[in-house]
Amino acid sequence: MTEGLNLKIEGIYFDGHSSRNRAALLQVVGEQVLLQVQPDGPLSALEERWQVSDLRIEPPLGRIRRIVKLPGGGRFETPDDAAISRLEAGTTRNRGLGRVRHIESRWSLTLAALAALGVFTWGFLTYGLPALARQAAAATPRSVLASFDREAIKLLDNGEFMGPSRLSAARQAQLQQQFRQVRDWAGGAYPYTLLLRDGKPQKAGGRGFSIGANAFALPNGTVVMTDQLVALAGSDRELMGVLAHETGHVTHRHALSSVYQGLGLSLLGVALTGDLVSATSFAAAVPTTLLSNGYSRRAETQSDEVAGAYMMQAYGTTSPLRRILARLEKDDLKATEDSIQDAGRAEDMLNTHPGTKQRIEHLRAIEEQGKPTP
């Protein structure tokens, strides 16, 4: 391949011991290389000869001078990219990188590569990361789940988000008794616990938001329900529908996958290794992630199916859950499921969570499917 090479390349020479450079000429004829360095002050002229195989050609990098590493630590630099490219072609050096440079030098190929990267990134964030988060959540050991719940409750009970329930002891006992029926039905061997709390921050200058009328489940089966949600409900059936929905989030590990997805891939290590120290650190992010971001369409729909199944078995209808969804949407005790308007098509496409209207219609469909055939 080098038999036809006959190159004279002008450039500068560095001896590898100082930053001083001197004008030089690199000649390549076949396999033979001759370097001629010009005298400069006290430094005399220099000639060196090698085999072309002794040279190491640095890959091209943008518009900077091409670099040829020489035996003995010296190097030759030149702006004559065309000559070095011929040398590379003749010696079959840097072939792969040459193709990269070919792509970089063409705007059309560069734009196509950027577009492909954009599509890949969108696909990974839309489908890949959620899928990885679900797999990681499913693989997370129970010991880590317990740590998540323990640390999250410690954070929530510091007075900045909520406080002790103001419901009477009798009312709390009544709700706990009814929750046990939901818990027993949900299964999954999770240590379900219902925590009743006041959804108002107890400390002045909390973290900027009130939980209000809400219920949410932590990864290991701890379900928090606020006094405000109890006050908003028209019946306990409505509350049990909400709690059944939360058990769906637990059994499908939605809380954990939501946290993993929200906080990134670093948490995957916790899932796979069961690193309790890291889990404790990350657990503080669980409540804020859940309360700020909520769940995806997929997760809410899946949990509504769980709640719908419970409602049909326990009451033969999903209407109690539909009614409280309407009240939560409107924050109005008088709101009905028929008063909820559908979101616009564009808004619906942009939403990451299902609209209340869609959820109500889904629950109606579950009821229709669950009714006995006349």
Side-chain angles (χ1 to χ4, degrees), residues 83-121:
I84 296 297
S85 295
R86 287 198 296 275
L87 179 58
E88 286 178 314
T91 57
T92 65
R93 307 280 183 88
N94 300 331
R95 274 188 166 180
L97 292 169
R99 294 190 185 96
V100 172
R101 194 181 188 200
H102 174 74
I103 293 173
E104 289 177 340
S105 64
R106 283 162 175 76
W107 278 106
S108 57
L109 292 176
T110 302
L111 290 175
L114 284 174
L117 179 63
V119 170
F120 172 79
T121 303

PDB file of all heavy atoms in Angstrom, residues 83-121:
ATOM      1  N   ALA A  83      -2.144  16.109   2.742  1.00  0.00           N
ATOM      2  CA  ALA A  83      -0.984  15.223   2.660  1.00  0.00           C
ATOM      3  C   ALA A  83      -1.049  14.129   3.732  1.00  0.00           C
ATOM      4  O   ALA A  83      -0.767  12.953   3.460  1.00  0.00           O
ATOM      5  CB  ALA A  83       0.297  16.041   2.820  1.00  0.00           C
ATOM      6  N   ILE A  84      -1.447  14.514   4.948  1.00  0.00           N
ATOM      7  CA  ILE A  84      -1.550  13.513   6.014  1.00  0.00           C
ATOM      8  C   ILE A  84      -2.672  12.514   5.708  1.00  0.00           C
ATOM      9  O   ILE A  84      -2.551  11.316   5.998  1.00  0.00           O
ATOM     10  CB  ILE A  84      -1.805  14.200   7.377  1.00  0.00           C
ATOM     11  CG1 ILE A  84      -0.617  15.084   7.749  1.00  0.00           C
ATOM     12  CG2 ILE A  84      -2.040  13.171   8.481  1.00  0.00           C
ATOM     13  CD1 ILE A  84       0.690  14.336   7.940  1.00  0.00           C
ATOM     14  N   SER A  85      -3.740  13.015   5.090  1.00  0.00           N
ATOM     15  CA  SER A  85      -4.821  12.096   4.710  1.00  0.00           C
ATOM     16  C   SER A  85      -4.342  11.080   3.686  1.00  0.00           C
ATOM     17  O   SER A  85      -4.716   9.899   3.736  1.00  0.00           O
ATOM     18  CB  SER A  85      -6.009  12.888   4.149  1.00  0.00           C
ATOM     19  OG  SER A  85      -6.571  13.707   5.157  1.00  0.00           O
ATOM     20  N   ARG A  86      -3.478  11.536   2.732  1.00  0.00           N
ATOM     21  CA  ARG A  86      -2.925  10.585   1.756  1.00  0.00           C
ATOM     22  C   ARG A  86      -2.014   9.581   2.456  1.00  0.00           C
ATOM     23  O   ARG A  86      -1.979   8.391   2.113  1.00  0.00           O
ATOM     24  CB  ARG A  86      -2.161  11.341   0.669  1.00  0.00           C
ATOM     25  CG  ARG A  86      -3.068  12.094  -0.305  1.00  0.00           C
ATOM     26  CD  ARG A  86      -2.317  12.457  -1.597  1.00  0.00           C
ATOM     27  NE  ARG A  86      -1.225  13.387  -1.365  1.00  0.00           N
ATOM     28  CZ  ARG A  86      -1.378  14.709  -1.309  1.00  0.00           C
ATOM     29  NH1 ARG A  86      -2.587  15.250  -1.456  1.00  0.00           N
ATOM     30  NH2 ARG A  86      -0.332  15.485  -1.123  1.00  0.00           N
ATOM     31  N   LEU A  87      -1.254  10.070   3.452  1.00  0.00           N
ATOM     32  CA  LEU A  87      -0.386   9.168   4.220  1.00  0.00           C
ATOM     33  C   LEU A  87      -1.228   8.129   4.969  1.00  0.00           C
ATOM     34  O   LEU A  87      -0.878   6.942   5.011  1.00  0.00           O
ATOM     35  CB  LEU A  87       0.466   9.982   5.201  1.00  0.00           C
ATOM     36  CG  LEU A  87       1.414   9.194   6.103  1.00  0.00           C
ATOM     37  CD1 LEU A  87       2.402   8.368   5.278  1.00  0.00           C
ATOM     38  CD2 LEU A  87       2.172  10.132   7.044  1.00  0.00           C
ATOM     39  N   GLU A  88      -2.352   8.588   5.556  1.00  0.00           N
ATOM     40  CA  GLU A  88      -3.248   7.663   6.260  1.00  0.00           C
ATOM     41  C   GLU A  88      -3.816   6.627   5.292  1.00  0.00           C
ATOM     42  O   GLU A  88      -3.877   5.436   5.604  1.00  0.00           O
ATOM     43  CB  GLU A  88      -4.399   8.438   6.913  1.00  0.00           C
ATOM     44  CG  GLU A  88      -3.994   9.215   8.146  1.00  0.00           C
ATOM     45  CD  GLU A  88      -5.155   9.999   8.725  1.00  0.00           C
ATOM     46  OE1 GLU A  88      -5.867  10.658   7.948  1.00  0.00           O
ATOM     47  OE2 GLU A  88      -5.339   9.952   9.938  1.00  0.00           O
ATOM     48  N   ALA A  89      -4.214   7.109   4.114  1.00  0.00           N
ATOM     49  CA  ALA A  89      -4.797   6.181   3.142  1.00  0.00           C
ATOM     50  C   ALA A  89      -3.760   5.163   2.683  1.00  0.00           C
ATOM     51  O   ALA A  89      -4.061   3.970   2.522  1.00  0.00           O
ATOM     52  CB  ALA A  89      -5.350   6.968   1.953  1.00  0.00           C
ATOM     53  N   GLY A  90      -2.521   5.636   2.489  1.00  0.00           N
ATOM     54  CA  GLY A  90      -1.475   4.743   2.017  1.00  0.00           C
ATOM     55  C   GLY A  90      -1.038   3.734   3.059  1.00  0.00           C
ATOM     56  O   GLY A  90      -0.521   2.649   2.716  1.00  0.00           O
ATOM     57  N   THR A  91      -1.210   4.068   4.314  1.00  0.00           N
ATOM     58  CA  THR A  91      -0.791   3.158   5.396  1.00  0.00           C
ATOM     59  C   THR A  91      -1.981   2.511   6.097  1.00  0.00           C
ATOM     60  O   THR A  91      -1.812   1.840   7.114  1.00  0.00           O
ATOM     61  CB  THR A  91       0.040   3.927   6.435  1.00  0.00           C
ATOM     62  OG1 THR A  91      -0.732   5.033   6.923  1.00  0.00           O
ATOM     63  CG2 THR A  91       1.334   4.437   5.816  1.00  0.00           C
ATOM     64  N   THR A  92      -3.192   2.766   5.576  1.00  0.00           N
ATOM     65  CA  THR A  92      -4.445   2.237   6.157  1.00  0.00           C
ATOM     66  C   THR A  92      -4.576   2.562   7.638  1.00  0.00           C
ATOM     67  O   THR A  92      -5.072   1.759   8.425  1.00  0.00           O
ATOM     68  CB  THR A  92      -4.574   0.721   5.941  1.00  0.00           C
ATOM     69  OG1 THR A  92      -3.531   0.061   6.676  1.00  0.00           O
ATOM     70  CG2 THR A  92      -4.487   0.355   4.476  1.00  0.00           C
ATOM     71  N   ARG A  93      -4.119   3.742   8.017  1.00  0.00           N
ATOM     72  CA  ARG A  93      -4.275   4.171   9.421  1.00  0.00           C
ATOM     73  C   ARG A  93      -5.594   4.925   9.596  1.00  0.00           C
ATOM     74  O   ARG A  93      -6.058   5.600   8.697  1.00  0.00           O
ATOM     75  CB  ARG A  93      -3.130   5.119   9.826  1.00  0.00           C
ATOM     76  CG  ARG A  93      -1.732   4.587   9.563  1.00  0.00           C
ATOM     77  CD  ARG A  93      -1.310   3.632  10.651  1.00  0.00           C
ATOM     78  NE  ARG A  93       0.063   3.173  10.415  1.00  0.00           N
ATOM     79  CZ  ARG A  93       1.145   3.817  10.852  1.00  0.00           C
ATOM     80  NH1 ARG A  93       1.006   4.930  11.537  1.00  0.00           N
ATOM     81  NH2 ARG A  93       2.347   3.329  10.614  1.00  0.00           N
ATOM     82  N   ASN A  94      -6.174   4.853  10.826  1.00  0.00           N
ATOM     83  CA  ASN A  94      -7.342   5.654  11.232  1.00  0.00           C
ATOM     84  C   ASN A  94      -8.520   5.515  10.273  1.00  0.00           C
ATOM     85  O   ASN A  94      -9.221   6.481   9.993  1.00  0.00           O
ATOM     86  CB  ASN A  94      -6.963   7.142  11.356  1.00  0.00           C
ATOM     87  CG  ASN A  94      -5.880   7.369  12.378  1.00  0.00           C
ATOM     88  OD1 ASN A  94      -5.755   6.620  13.348  1.00  0.00           O
ATOM     89  ND2 ASN A  94      -5.066   8.389  12.158  1.00  0.00           N
ATOM     90  N   ARG A  95      -8.719   4.308   9.759  1.00  0.00           N
ATOM     91  CA  ARG A  95      -9.806   4.130   8.789  1.00  0.00           C
ATOM     92  C   ARG A  95     -11.179   4.456   9.380  1.00  0.00           C
ATOM     93  O   ARG A  95     -11.964   5.179   8.793  1.00  0.00           O
ATOM     94  CB  ARG A  95      -9.812   2.686   8.281  1.00  0.00           C
ATOM     95  CG  ARG A  95      -8.893   2.463   7.114  1.00  0.00           C
ATOM     96  CD  ARG A  95      -9.097   1.083   6.557  1.00  0.00           C
ATOM     97  NE  ARG A  95      -8.479   0.935   5.262  1.00  0.00           N
ATOM     98  CZ  ARG A  95      -8.512  -0.172   4.558  1.00  0.00           C
ATOM     99  NH1 ARG A  95      -9.125  -1.233   5.046  1.00  0.00           N
ATOM    100  NH2 ARG A  95      -7.943  -0.245   3.379  1.00  0.00           N
ATOM    101  N   GLY A  96     -11.445   3.903  10.597  1.00  0.00           N
ATOM    102  CA  GLY A  96     -12.750   4.136  11.210  1.00  0.00           C
ATOM    103  C   GLY A  96     -12.973   5.596  11.504  1.00  0.00           C
ATOM    104  O   GLY A  96     -14.033   6.163  11.233  1.00  0.00           O
ATOM    105  N   LEU A  97     -11.946   6.244  12.045  1.00  0.00           N
ATOM    106  CA  LEU A  97     -12.077   7.655  12.379  1.00  0.00           C
ATOM    107  C   LEU A  97     -12.189   8.506  11.129  1.00  0.00           C
ATOM    108  O   LEU A  97     -12.787   9.574  11.132  1.00  0.00           O
ATOM    109  CB  LEU A  97     -10.871   8.095  13.218  1.00  0.00           C
ATOM    110  CG  LEU A  97     -10.835   7.461  14.609  1.00  0.00           C
ATOM    111  CD1 LEU A  97      -9.500   7.730  15.273  1.00  0.00           C
ATOM    112  CD2 LEU A  97     -11.965   8.004  15.463  1.00  0.00           C
ATOM    113  N   GLY A  98     -11.597   8.020  10.048  1.00  0.00           N
ATOM    114  CA  GLY A  98     -11.727   8.737   8.787  1.00  0.00           C
ATOM    115  C   GLY A  98     -13.175   8.794   8.343  1.00  0.00           C
ATOM    116  O   GLY A  98     -13.648   9.804   7.807  1.00  0.00           O
ATOM    117  N   ARG A  99     -13.921   7.695   8.576  1.00  0.00           N
ATOM    118  CA  ARG A  99     -15.343   7.701   8.206  1.00  0.00           C
ATOM    119  C   ARG A  99     -16.107   8.689   9.079  1.00  0.00           C
ATOM    120  O   ARG A  99     -17.026   9.381   8.621  1.00  0.00           O
ATOM    121  CB  ARG A  99     -15.914   6.292   8.353  1.00  0.00           C
ATOM    122  CG  ARG A  99     -15.324   5.292   7.374  1.00  0.00           C
ATOM    123  CD  ARG A  99     -16.089   3.977   7.383  1.00  0.00           C
ATOM    124  NE  ARG A  99     -15.449   2.994   6.528  1.00  0.00           N
ATOM    125  CZ  ARG A  99     -14.598   2.072   6.959  1.00  0.00           C
ATOM    126  NH1 ARG A  99     -14.299   1.995   8.254  1.00  0.00           N
ATOM    127  NH2 ARG A  99     -14.043   1.216   6.123  1.00  0.00           N
ATOM    128  N   VAL A 100     -15.745   8.744  10.374  1.00  0.00           N
ATOM    129  CA  VAL A 100     -16.395   9.714  11.262  1.00  0.00           C
ATOM    130  C   VAL A 100     -16.150  11.126  10.749  1.00  0.00           C
ATOM    131  O   VAL A 100     -17.053  11.968  10.711  1.00  0.00           O
ATOM    132  CB  VAL A 100     -15.854   9.574  12.707  1.00  0.00           C
ATOM    133  CG1 VAL A 100     -16.386  10.698  13.587  1.00  0.00           C
ATOM    134  CG2 VAL A 100     -16.243   8.223  13.278  1.00  0.00           C
ATOM    135  N   ARG A 101     -14.932  11.386  10.332  1.00  0.00           N
ATOM    136  CA  ARG A 101     -14.611  12.715   9.828  1.00  0.00           C
ATOM    137  C   ARG A 101     -15.375  13.016   8.540  1.00  0.00           C
ATOM    138  O   ARG A 101     -15.808  14.137   8.307  1.00  0.00           O
ATOM    139  CB  ARG A 101     -13.103  12.810   9.565  1.00  0.00           C
ATOM    140  CG  ARG A 101     -12.665  14.241   9.381  1.00  0.00           C
ATOM    141  CD  ARG A 101     -11.226  14.319   9.101  1.00  0.00           C
ATOM    142  NE  ARG A 101     -10.784  15.687   9.120  1.00  0.00           N
ATOM    143  CZ  ARG A 101      -9.686  16.108   8.557  1.00  0.00           C
ATOM    144  NH1 ARG A 101      -8.896  15.248   7.956  1.00  0.00           N
ATOM    145  NH2 ARG A 101      -9.348  17.366   8.612  1.00  0.00           N
ATOM    146  N   HIS A 102     -15.546  11.973   7.744  1.00  0.00           N
ATOM    147  CA  HIS A 102     -16.312  12.141   6.505  1.00  0.00           C
ATOM    148  C   HIS A 102     -17.743  12.588   6.836  1.00  0.00           C
ATOM    149  O   HIS A 102     -18.307  13.482   6.191  1.00  0.00           O
ATOM    150  CB  HIS A 102     -16.335  10.809   5.751  1.00  0.00           C
ATOM    151  CG  HIS A 102     -17.200  10.810   4.536  1.00  0.00           C
ATOM    152  ND1 HIS A 102     -16.835  11.448   3.365  1.00  0.00           N
ATOM    153  CD2 HIS A 102     -18.433  10.267   4.323  1.00  0.00           C
ATOM    154  CE1 HIS A 102     -17.803  11.293   2.470  1.00  0.00           C
ATOM    155  NE2 HIS A 102     -18.775  10.567   3.025  1.00  0.00           N
ATOM    156  N   ILE A 103     -18.304  11.996   7.886  1.00  0.00           N
ATOM    157  CA  ILE A 103     -19.661  12.369   8.289  1.00  0.00           C
ATOM    158  C   ILE A 103     -19.676  13.785   8.852  1.00  0.00           C
ATOM    159  O   ILE A 103     -20.552  14.591   8.530  1.00  0.00           O
ATOM    160  CB  ILE A 103     -20.191  11.361   9.341  1.00  0.00           C
ATOM    161  CG1 ILE A 103     -20.366   9.989   8.682  1.00  0.00           C
ATOM    162  CG2 ILE A 103     -21.499  11.836   9.946  1.00  0.00           C
ATOM    163  CD1 ILE A 103     -20.722   8.891   9.656  1.00  0.00           C
ATOM    164  N   GLU A 104     -18.663  14.087   9.702  1.00  0.00           N
ATOM    165  CA  GLU A 104     -18.630  15.402  10.334  1.00  0.00           C
ATOM    166  C   GLU A 104     -18.501  16.519   9.312  1.00  0.00           C
ATOM    167  O   GLU A 104     -18.949  17.643   9.547  1.00  0.00           O
ATOM    168  CB  GLU A 104     -17.459  15.477  11.311  1.00  0.00           C
ATOM    169  CG  GLU A 104     -17.651  14.646  12.562  1.00  0.00           C
ATOM    170  CD  GLU A 104     -16.440  14.700  13.471  1.00  0.00           C
ATOM    171  OE1 GLU A 104     -15.341  15.046  12.966  1.00  0.00           O
ATOM    172  OE2 GLU A 104     -16.578  14.418  14.653  1.00  0.00           O
ATOM    173  N   SER A 105     -17.854  16.242   8.176  1.00  0.00           N
ATOM    174  CA  SER A 105     -17.590  17.287   7.191  1.00  0.00           C
ATOM    175  C   SER A 105     -18.794  17.569   6.310  1.00  0.00           C
ATOM    176  O   SER A 105     -18.746  18.476   5.493  1.00  0.00           O
ATOM    177  CB  SER A 105     -16.388  16.878   6.327  1.00  0.00           C
ATOM    178  OG  SER A 105     -16.687  15.715   5.576  1.00  0.00           O
ATOM    179  N   ARG A 106     -19.881  16.809   6.456  1.00  0.00           N
ATOM    180  CA  ARG A 106     -21.063  17.018   5.624  1.00  0.00           C
ATOM    181  C   ARG A 106     -22.259  17.371   6.495  1.00  0.00           C
ATOM    182  O   ARG A 106     -22.684  16.586   7.336  1.00  0.00           O
ATOM    183  CB  ARG A 106     -21.338  15.752   4.797  1.00  0.00           C
ATOM    184  CG  ARG A 106     -20.387  15.633   3.621  1.00  0.00           C
ATOM    185  CD  ARG A 106     -20.307  14.252   3.052  1.00  0.00           C
ATOM    186  NE  ARG A 106     -19.459  14.244   1.861  1.00  0.00           N
ATOM    187  CZ  ARG A 106     -18.124  14.296   1.884  1.00  0.00           C
ATOM    188  NH1 ARG A 106     -17.491  14.393   3.049  1.00  0.00           N
ATOM    189  NH2 ARG A 106     -17.426  14.296   0.765  1.00  0.00           N
ATOM    190  N   TRP A 107     -22.790  18.593   6.253  1.00  0.00           N
ATOM    191  CA  TRP A 107     -23.889  19.089   7.081  1.00  0.00           C
ATOM    192  C   TRP A 107     -25.100  18.172   7.019  1.00  0.00           C
ATOM    193  O   TRP A 107     -25.780  17.959   8.017  1.00  0.00           O
ATOM    194  CB  TRP A 107     -24.284  20.496   6.612  1.00  0.00           C
ATOM    195  CG  TRP A 107     -23.395  21.545   7.183  1.00  0.00           C
ATOM    196  CD1 TRP A 107     -22.426  22.242   6.537  1.00  0.00           C
ATOM    197  CD2 TRP A 107     -23.374  22.001   8.543  1.00  0.00           C
ATOM    198  NE1 TRP A 107     -21.796  23.113   7.395  1.00  0.00           N
ATOM    199  CE2 TRP A 107     -22.370  22.977   8.644  1.00  0.00           C
ATOM    200  CE3 TRP A 107     -24.094  21.672   9.682  1.00  0.00           C
ATOM    201  CZ2 TRP A 107     -22.071  23.635   9.818  1.00  0.00           C
ATOM    202  CZ3 TRP A 107     -23.807  22.323  10.869  1.00  0.00           C
ATOM    203  CH2 TRP A 107     -22.802  23.288  10.929  1.00  0.00           C
ATOM    204  N   SER A 108     -25.374  17.652   5.824  1.00  0.00           N
ATOM    205  CA  SER A 108     -26.570  16.821   5.684  1.00  0.00           C
ATOM    206  C   SER A 108     -26.467  15.576   6.573  1.00  0.00           C
ATOM    207  O   SER A 108     -27.422  15.203   7.256  1.00  0.00           O
ATOM    208  CB  SER A 108     -26.767  16.413   4.225  1.00  0.00           C
ATOM    209  OG  SER A 108     -25.616  15.730   3.752  1.00  0.00           O
ATOM    210  N   LEU A 109     -25.264  14.961   6.579  1.00  0.00           N
ATOM    211  CA  LEU A 109     -25.085  13.768   7.403  1.00  0.00           C
ATOM    212  C   LEU A 109     -25.097  14.125   8.883  1.00  0.00           C
ATOM    213  O   LEU A 109     -25.622  13.380   9.725  1.00  0.00           O
ATOM    214  CB  LEU A 109     -23.774  13.078   7.030  1.00  0.00           C
ATOM    215  CG  LEU A 109     -23.732  12.452   5.634  1.00  0.00           C
ATOM    216  CD1 LEU A 109     -22.342  11.891   5.346  1.00  0.00           C
ATOM    217  CD2 LEU A 109     -24.776  11.352   5.511  1.00  0.00           C
ATOM    218  N   THR A 110     -24.499  15.301   9.218  1.00  0.00           N
ATOM    219  CA  THR A 110     -24.481  15.726  10.618  1.00  0.00           C
ATOM    220  C   THR A 110     -25.903  15.974  11.125  1.00  0.00           C
ATOM    221  O   THR A 110     -26.283  15.553  12.222  1.00  0.00           O
ATOM    222  CB  THR A 110     -23.641  17.006  10.765  1.00  0.00           C
ATOM    223  OG1 THR A 110     -22.332  16.757  10.285  1.00  0.00           O
ATOM    224  CG2 THR A 110     -23.591  17.454  12.217  1.00  0.00           C
ATOM    225  N   LEU A 111     -26.713  16.667  10.298  1.00  0.00           N
ATOM    226  CA  LEU A 111     -28.095  16.940  10.704  1.00  0.00           C
ATOM    227  C   LEU A 111     -28.887  15.645  10.829  1.00  0.00           C
ATOM    228  O   LEU A 111     -29.706  15.489  11.742  1.00  0.00           O
ATOM    229  CB  LEU A 111     -28.751  17.878   9.688  1.00  0.00           C
ATOM    230  CG  LEU A 111     -28.219  19.314   9.686  1.00  0.00           C
ATOM    231  CD1 LEU A 111     -28.843  20.119   8.554  1.00  0.00           C
ATOM    232  CD2 LEU A 111     -28.488  19.992  11.031  1.00  0.00           C
ATOM    233  N   ALA A 112     -28.630  14.704   9.908  1.00  0.00           N
ATOM    234  CA  ALA A 112     -29.328  13.421   9.987  1.00  0.00           C
ATOM    235  C   ALA A 112     -28.943  12.674  11.265  1.00  0.00           C
ATOM    236  O   ALA A 112     -29.793  12.069  11.924  1.00  0.00           O
ATOM    237  CB  ALA A 112     -28.996  12.575   8.758  1.00  0.00           C
ATOM    238  N   ALA A 113     -27.636  12.766  11.610  1.00  0.00           N
ATOM    239  CA  ALA A 113     -27.183  12.103  12.839  1.00  0.00           C
ATOM    240  C   ALA A 113     -27.818  12.746  14.066  1.00  0.00           C
ATOM    241  O   ALA A 113     -28.227  12.051  15.007  1.00  0.00           O
ATOM    242  CB  ALA A 113     -25.663  12.170  12.930  1.00  0.00           C
ATOM    243  N   LEU A 114     -27.927  14.103  14.061  1.00  0.00           N
ATOM    244  CA  LEU A 114     -28.560  14.796  15.183  1.00  0.00           C
ATOM    245  C   LEU A 114     -30.036  14.418  15.287  1.00  0.00           C
ATOM    246  O   LEU A 114     -30.560  14.218  16.385  1.00  0.00           O
ATOM    247  CB  LEU A 114     -28.415  16.310  15.002  1.00  0.00           C
ATOM    248  CG  LEU A 114     -27.030  16.890  15.303  1.00  0.00           C
ATOM    249  CD1 LEU A 114     -26.981  18.369  14.939  1.00  0.00           C
ATOM    250  CD2 LEU A 114     -26.683  16.702  16.783  1.00  0.00           C
ATOM    251  N   ALA A 115     -30.691  14.315  14.128  1.00  0.00           N
ATOM    252  CA  ALA A 115     -32.098  13.929  14.136  1.00  0.00           C
ATOM    253  C   ALA A 115     -32.267  12.518  14.694  1.00  0.00           C
ATOM    254  O   ALA A 115     -33.170  12.251  15.494  1.00  0.00           O
ATOM    255  CB  ALA A 115     -32.679  14.014  12.724  1.00  0.00           C
ATOM    256  N   ALA A 116     -31.371  11.620  14.273  1.00  0.00           N
ATOM    257  CA  ALA A 116     -31.442  10.240  14.773  1.00  0.00           C
ATOM    258  C   ALA A 116     -31.202  10.197  16.278  1.00  0.00           C
ATOM    259  O   ALA A 116     -31.870   9.462  17.010  1.00  0.00           O
ATOM    260  CB  ALA A 116     -30.414   9.371  14.050  1.00  0.00           C
ATOM    261  N   LEU A 117     -30.245  11.040  16.739  1.00  0.00           N
ATOM    262  CA  LEU A 117     -29.981  11.100  18.181  1.00  0.00           C
ATOM    263  C   LEU A 117     -31.192  11.632  18.926  1.00  0.00           C
ATOM    264  O   LEU A 117     -31.544  11.139  20.003  1.00  0.00           O
ATOM    265  CB  LEU A 117     -28.756  11.987  18.440  1.00  0.00           C
ATOM    266  CG  LEU A 117     -28.372  12.173  19.920  1.00  0.00           C
ATOM    267  CD1 LEU A 117     -27.982  10.836  20.539  1.00  0.00           C
ATOM    268  CD2 LEU A 117     -27.224  13.175  20.050  1.00  0.00           C
ATOM    269  N   GLY A 118     -31.854  12.656  18.340  1.00  0.00           N
ATOM    270  CA  GLY A 118     -33.047  13.210  18.976  1.00  0.00           C
ATOM    271  C   GLY A 118     -34.155  12.180  19.083  1.00  0.00           C
ATOM    272  O   GLY A 118     -34.812  12.070  20.117  1.00  0.00           O
ATOM    273  N   VAL A 119     -34.349  11.405  18.010  1.00  0.00           N
ATOM    274  CA  VAL A 119     -35.389  10.369  18.021  1.00  0.00           C
ATOM    275  C   VAL A 119     -35.060   9.302  19.064  1.00  0.00           C
ATOM    276  O   VAL A 119     -35.925   8.848  19.826  1.00  0.00           O
ATOM    277  CB  VAL A 119     -35.532   9.730  16.626  1.00  0.00           C
ATOM    278  CG1 VAL A 119     -36.413   8.491  16.677  1.00  0.00           C
ATOM    279  CG2 VAL A 119     -36.099  10.748  15.641  1.00  0.00           C
ATOM    280  N   PHE A 120     -33.768   8.934  19.111  1.00  0.00           N
ATOM    281  CA  PHE A 120     -33.357   7.921  20.099  1.00  0.00           C
ATOM    282  C   PHE A 120     -33.590   8.436  21.522  1.00  0.00           C
ATOM    283  O   PHE A 120     -34.109   7.712  22.382  1.00  0.00           O
ATOM    284  CB  PHE A 120     -31.881   7.585  19.906  1.00  0.00           C
ATOM    285  CG  PHE A 120     -31.324   6.706  20.986  1.00  0.00           C
ATOM    286  CD1 PHE A 120     -31.559   5.341  20.979  1.00  0.00           C
ATOM    287  CD2 PHE A 120     -30.601   7.267  22.041  1.00  0.00           C
ATOM    288  CE1 PHE A 120     -31.058   4.532  21.991  1.00  0.00           C
ATOM    289  CE2 PHE A 120     -30.097   6.458  23.064  1.00  0.00           C
ATOM    290  CZ  PHE A 120     -30.328   5.089  23.036  1.00  0.00           C
ATOM    291  N   THR A 121     -33.207   9.709  21.764  1.00  0.00           N
ATOM    292  CA  THR A 121     -33.371  10.273  23.112  1.00  0.00           C
ATOM    293  C   THR A 121     -34.850  10.328  23.492  1.00  0.00           C
ATOM    294  O   THR A 121     -35.232   9.972  24.610  1.00  0.00           O
ATOM    295  CB  THR A 121     -32.766  11.688  23.162  1.00  0.00           C
ATOM    296  OG1 THR A 121     -31.392  11.614  22.778  1.00  0.00           O
ATOM    297  CG2 THR A 121     -32.874  12.278  24.557  1.00  0.00           C
TER     298      THR A 121
END
